[in-house]
Amino acid sequence: MSLCYILPVANQSNNRPVLRFAPSPTGHLHLGHALSAFENERWAEVTGGRLLLRIEDIDTTRCRPEFVAALLEDLAWLELPFEQPPRRQSAHFDDYRQALDRLAAMELLYRSYASRAEIAAATGRGGYPRDPDGTPLYPRAALAATDDRARRDPAEPYALRLDMAKALAKAGALAPALSWREQEKPGNGSIEAIPAAPERWGDVVLARKEFPASYHLAVVVDDALQGITHVVRGRDLYHATGLHRLLQSLLALPEPTYHHHGLILGPDGEKLSKSARSTSLRALRADGATPAQIRKMAVIV
Ligand code: GLU
């Protein structure tokens, strides 16, 4: 295994900000995606930055080619000036492998074999600590026998998890009191240091036997490789940023500035769903909406 990790991080020397919109093709784009794309466009305009598109299609079980084609068509219809071609995660599995190799060389990964049912049994019904997405933290100690590699068949599926305690110790030595920079608005907007608190995520899955990288790993690698200076995305990913900062610190990747914008909520008060026809961009277009009208609709009220 190579200890020499040379991720060809994009050259940021020309000092132009770099923004990106990064949809996952697991369904049709809706007004919430349009809002995020327009926010990135606005930040790029105000700062004279570049506007990149990344298709987060790493999860081949949930992403579908027809949704990729549909999102490209929707974004072209909205006349969003993304640079071409977009980066597609499915074409870059080696990049994620290198990052995993690096973490493995630091002895920060372990294999967990426990099934969902075993995890559920070990964490009980309520009261068990959960991560910001509501998933119970991985009960490593309770599942030590299940995860004992020596007892497993090498053909069995497994998840590669981050050993959070070790990762925190390592990162603490690299950069005590990890935080991220949250910028209020583009240009000269004020910047606040937000404590990262990555321990809230426990031993997160970073890859699986047949799955090259989780969202959390892929996003930090891609942001570095695309030279992203400003990550502008929805508030639903606010707490994930703390984990992303930990991974950036461990992998010695550059630290972008973040802006988490508000979300468009449905009548039920929940964020919009990809399965809801009423707010899908294609349905609105089919009903006669123009790109200008979508721009007026894609706002937080
Ligand atoms: N692919 C993610 C999504 O569609 C966005 C990831 C990001 O912006 O960091 O929710």
Side-chain angles (χ1 to χ4, degrees):
M1 186 171 300
S2 164
L3 282 174
C4 171
Y5 183 59
I6 19 174
L7 194 64
V9 169
N11 179 8
Q12 299 181 359
S13 59
N14 64 9
N15 280 338
R16 257 183 99 190
V18 186
L19 284 296
R20 78 346 182 240
F21 172 56
S24 307
T26 54
H28 290 307
L29 297 187
H30 54 56
L31 283 176
H33 295 106
L35 169 78
S36 205
F38 294 146
E39 277 291 284
N40 275 284
E41 180 192 36
R42 187 169 70 87
W43 276 66
E45 268 170 23
V46 172
T47 61
R50 299 171 56 201
L51 184 60
L52 307 188
L53 177 63
R54 177 162 78 235
I55 299 176
E56 300 212 324
D57 59 351
I58 200 161
D59 184 347
T60 45
T61 59
R62 292 176 61 228
C63 297
R64 300 225 302 262
E66 61 268 35
F67 291 135
V68 176
L71 79 82
L72 291 174
E73 197 183 287
D74 289 346
L75 296 175
W77 175 64
L78 291 174
E79 296 184 351
L80 283 153
F82 292 112
E83 289 182 19
Q84 296 298 326
R87 176 177 170 93
R88 289 190 62 158
Q89 289 183 329
S90 55
H92 296 278
F93 286 174
D94 278 358
D95 294 331
Y96 313 124
R97 181 78 255 159
Q98 276 188 53
L100 282 172
D101 286 351
R102 163 91 165 165
L103 295 171
M106 294 159 91
E107 298 182 354
L108 298 180
L109 301 182
Y110 68 92
R111 290 184 183 191
S112 80
Y113 294 88
S115 65
R116 275 171 199 269
E118 284 169 316
I119 297 173
T123 54
R125 282 187 173 270
Y128 200 86
R130 287 167 188 265
D131 73 20
D133 284 346
T135 306
L137 300 191
Y138 188 66
R140 186 179 185 183
L143 292 170
T146 312
D147 285 345
D148 181 356
R149 208 166 152 174
R151 293 167 45 163
R152 312 302 305 200
D153 179 337
E156 278 184 88
Y158 58 82
L160 273 181
R161 291 183 181 271
L162 182 69
D163 183 328
M164 182 56 79
K166 269 198 199 169
L168 290 172
K170 181 92 193 164
L174 295 170
L178 204 58
S179 62
W180 82 81
R181 293 191 304 255
E182 178 77 21
Q183 188 168 343
E184 179 208 3
K185 52 183 191 321
N188 55 6
S190 65
I191 297 178
E192 194 183 347
I194 311 287
E199 65 281 0
R200 298 177 67 182
W201 293 90
D203 290 359
V204 281
V205 173
L206 293 187
R208 294 185 187 276
K209 185 175 179 213
E210 310 292 351
F211 191 76
S214 69
Y215 158 68
H216 297 301
L217 182 70
V219 76
V220 298
V221 170
D222 288 331
D223 284 339
L225 287 172
Q226 290 192 290
I228 305 300
T229 59
H230 295 74
V231 173
V232 173
R233 62 185 176 193
R235 259 199 101 82
D236 50 335
L237 292 166
Y238 188 82
H239 294 295
T241 302
L243 175 58
H244 299 172
R245 283 292 300 121
L246 174 65
L247 294 172
Q248 285 158 358
S249 171
L250 295 169
L251 293 166
L253 299 176
E255 176 190 356
T257 299
Y258 290 84
H259 171 74
H260 295 90
H261 58 73
L263 303 175
I264 301 179
L265 302 180
D268 55 0
E270 296 292 321
K271 69 176 185 162
L272 300 180
S273 139
K274 279 189 176 134
S275 55
R277 185 187 181 277
S278 59
T279 54
S280 110
L281 299 181
R282 352 212 76 211
L284 292 165
R285 172 152 52 123
D287 291 347
T290 63
Q293 284 166 333
I294 300 288
R295 281 182 186 267
K296 289 210 181 102
M297 292 166 82
V299 289
I300 310 152
V301 282

